Amino acid sequence: QVRLVESGGGLVQAGGSLRLSCAASGRTFSFYAMGWFRQAPGKDREFVAAINWSGGSTYSSDSVKGRFTISRDNAKNTVYLQMSSLEPEDTAVYYCAAYYGSVWSTPNVWGQGTQVTVSS
């Protein structure tokens, strides 16, 4: 069972940048596709971005495309979400997730989340 711990959230002004990190325990991190999701107050959790096991394929939602970049370092058991041109609408709790299957399946393991707040 992989365990995920997110970090890097905080308060940033609109137009600013943040990089989220998700550290995974376990030696099989490189076997898993990984993803980022977010949940804003009063809203459902939504998909943000995902990356396959090798890092060779990435996917992102239309709302963040061109602004957010997902990447991974399998040697460090870490997946990242680089967020740029942040908007107040990006304010949410961001969750890291691991997939036992493909990125189109439901994630199997979730982190505890990290708060991102974008002020206008």
Side-chain angles (χ1 to χ4, degrees), residues 58-115:
T58 61
Y59 314 87
S60 58
S61 67
D62 289 343
S63 62
V64 306
K65 199 161 292 184
R67 300 188 299 122
F68 292 10
T69 302
I70 188 171
S71 62
R72 68 190 295 161
D73 186 338
N74 286 345
K76 295 182 178 179
N77 280 11
T78 302
V79 62
Y80 304 97
L81 185 68
Q82 178 67 50
M83 305 185 295
S84 303
S85 301
L86 283 160
E87 304 167 353
E89 293 73 22
D90 296 316
T91 295
V93 178
Y94 284 70
Y95 297 91
C96 176
Y99 301 82
Y100 291 171
S102 77
V103 300
W104 311 117
S105 61
T106 300
N108 299 91
V109 182
W110 295 90
Q112 84 289 350
T114 186
Q115 177 71 47

